[in-house]
Amino acid sequence: MTTSRKLQRKIEGAEGLQSVVKTMKALAVVNMRHFEKAVTALSRYRRTIERGLWTALNHPSRLAVAARPSAKSHIRAMVIGSDQGMCGSLNETISARVSEDLDPNASVIAVGMRAASRLGEHGFALERTYNAPGSVEGVHELVASLLLDIEAWERLQTENRILLFHNTPESHASYRPERFQILPLDENRLAQLGAGDWQGPSLPHITLPWNRLFSDLVRQYVYISLFRAVGESLASENAGRLAAMQGAESNIETRIDTLRREYRRQRQTSITAELLDIVSGFEALDQEQRG
């Protein structure tokens, strides 16, 4: 039978673990909002780039722009996951989505060691693996490396179709997997970027050669798409960690309540036994004195 002292030690241990979980929960909330704010701030720049693409696509000197045919394209993918654990099924979810959409022979670059491990379990031989960044500065460095990988793919004399897989937050404690085609820009996206009227008093004027302008704008558009994907994936990771910590906190609270009830019960039993011993001793002493 567990003694009151052992129960007290268990309660103290559970309360210490509860403090750690609360700290991790607070860090997850702070990190999640940090990455969400970074993505939100980048959205303003994204609107600027999209307006630039509208200008290029509607300029009289524009060249013919169309999406490359993808029937025989070589599919290459970038998958954003995590290095850290305790974030729910984030890596399992995104690797399962990749497995559903791609053949294991596809060229894949993974971000996050845990995501890489899950993709390996699905039969993918990874071309390269990066560590997941832990800060906004780290996101910039990672995206710069991914851009170099895309340029290397584009230099291969093949028609590439480059896909991006990542998780995106749905709420403060949930996320969903998402797939996005980085290059080539598909026909629907080109139509969306060139649709509508210019929102301003006068049309913009182009001073650069059209092909250079369009190429630079597409590069910036790809950069923004990669940054947003990594930022949303990191926000999703912390959303998953928040959900996991909330579940752990609830379980610990239930455990502490159970231990405290057992401690009180044993303590009451011990007090009752002591009182009975006192009463029994008093009755025995009283009988002695009467005898």
Side-chain angles (χ1 to χ4, degrees), residues 118 124 137-138 162 181 186 264:
R118 298 295 181 273
F124 289 93
E137 292 74 17
I162 303 175
Q181 182 169 311
D186 61 48
R264 287 193 293 268

Side-chain angles (χ1 to χ4, degrees), residues 52-67 185-187 189-196 204-215 217-218:
L53 285 168
W54 183 96
T55 302
L57 291 170
N58 287 278
H59 198 269
S61 64
R62 61 167 285 186
L63 301 177
V65 177
L185 296 177
D186 61 48
E187 293 181 359
R189 190 58 186 147
L190 283 172
Q192 289 173 3
L193 291 170
H205 178 65
I206 292 178
T207 58
L208 293 174
W210 188 92
N211 56 344
R212 178 182 169 187
L213 173 66
F214 186 75
S215 176
L217 287 170
V218 169

Side-chain angles (χ1 to χ4, degrees), residues 102-156:
L102 300 185
D103 185 274
N105 294 322
S107 299
V108 177
I109 290 177
V111 175
M113 296 302 172
R114 289 179 179 267
S117 176
R118 298 295 181 273
L119 289 167
E121 292 173 1
H122 285 284
F124 289 93
L126 302 180
E127 188 171 313
R128 187 174 289 103
T129 301
Y130 292 101
N131 289 319
S135 64
V136 173
E137 292 74 17
V139 175
H140 286 291
E141 294 174 5
L142 172 63
V143 170
S145 297
L146 294 177
L147 282 173
L148 292 176
D149 289 324
I150 290 176
E151 289 179 356
W153 279 342
E154 289 293 284
R155 283 195 296 270
L156 300 174

Side-chain angles (χ1 to χ4, degrees), residues 7-289:
L7 283 172
Q8 186 64 34
R9 285 199 295 268
K10 286 183 178 181
I11 291 171
E12 291 172 357
E15 287 175 340
L17 182 59
Q18 184 182 46
S19 177
V20 172
V21 167
K22 285 183 177 179
T23 301
M24 293 183 67
K25 188 170 132 182
L27 286 172
V29 171
V30 171
N31 289 333
M32 181 173 63
R33 290 178 178 171
H34 186 61
F35 289 115
E36 286 177 342
K37 285 181 180 179
V39 172
T40 301
L42 190 70
S43 64
R44 299 172 185 172
Y45 182 54
R46 180 180 181 176
R47 285 194 294 270
T48 300
I49 296 301
E50 288 179 346
R51 294 179 73 181
L53 285 168
W54 183 96
T55 302
L57 291 170
N58 287 278
H59 198 269
S61 64
R62 61 167 285 186
L63 301 177
V65 177
R68 296 196 303 264
S70 58
K72 296 182 180 179
S73 296
H74 189 95
I75 296 179
R76 304 178 187 275
M78 294 179 167
V79 183
I80 316 298
S82 77
D83 284 330
Q84 305 297 326
M86 293 186 292
C87 54
S89 59
L90 180 134
N91 294 295
E92 291 79 0
T93 298
I94 197 64
S95 59
R97 176 64 189 273
V98 175
S99 180
E100 290 175 3
D101 292 0
L102 300 185
D103 185 274
N105 294 322
S107 299
V108 177
I109 290 177
V111 175
M113 296 302 172
R114 289 179 179 267
S117 176
R118 298 295 181 273
L119 289 167
E121 292 173 1
H122 285 284
F124 289 93
L126 302 180
E127 188 171 313
R128 187 174 289 103
T129 301
Y130 292 101
N131 289 319
S135 64
V136 173
E137 292 74 17
V139 175
H140 286 291
E141 294 174 5
L142 172 63
V143 170
S145 297
L146 294 177
L147 282 173
L148 292 176
D149 289 324
I150 290 176
E151 289 179 356
W153 279 342
E154 289 293 284
R155 283 195 296 270
L156 300 174
Q157 300 300 315
T158 58
E159 291 183 349
N160 293 316
R161 185 178 172 211
I162 303 175
L163 305 177
L164 184 61
F165 292 85
H166 66 98
N167 287 292
T168 185
E170 284 192 309
S171 69
H172 288 307
S174 65
Y175 49 83
R176 71 175 189 278
E178 185 172 301
R179 165 181 158 173
F180 176 75
Q181 182 169 311
I182 304 177
L183 290 173
L185 296 177
D186 61 48
E187 293 181 359
N188 291 333
R189 190 58 186 147
L190 283 172
Q192 289 173 3
L193 291 170
D197 298 322
W198 179 259
Q199 301 299 315
S202 60
L203 292 174
H205 178 65
I206 292 178
T207 58
L208 293 174
W210 188 92
N211 56 344
R212 178 182 169 187
L213 173 66
F214 186 75
S215 176
D216 289 347
L217 287 170
V218 169
R219 180 180 174 83
Q220 290 299 311
Y221 183 78
V222 171
Y223 174 88
I224 291 169
S225 299
L226 287 170
F227 189 101
R228 180 179 64 86
V230 175
E232 288 184 351
S233 180
L234 292 170
S236 298
E237 176 185 343
N238 285 282
R241 186 164 294 118
L242 174 60
M245 292 303 103
Q246 286 174 335
E249 186 178 32
S250 177
N251 292 335
I252 291 170
E253 288 175 353
T254 301
R255 178 61 175 165
I256 289 175
D257 289 341
T258 302
L259 289 171
R260 283 175 177 167
R261 284 197 300 270
E262 179 64 19
Y263 176 79
R264 287 193 293 268
R265 187 186 66 79
Q266 287 203 14
R267 184 63 179 157
Q268 187 61 47
T269 300
S270 176
I271 293 171
T272 302
E274 290 176 4
L275 288 173
L276 289 174
D277 288 342
I278 292 171
V279 171
S280 298
F282 176 79
E283 289 178 346
L285 184 60
D286 184 58
Q287 286 177 1
E288 245 180 60
Q289 289 175 349

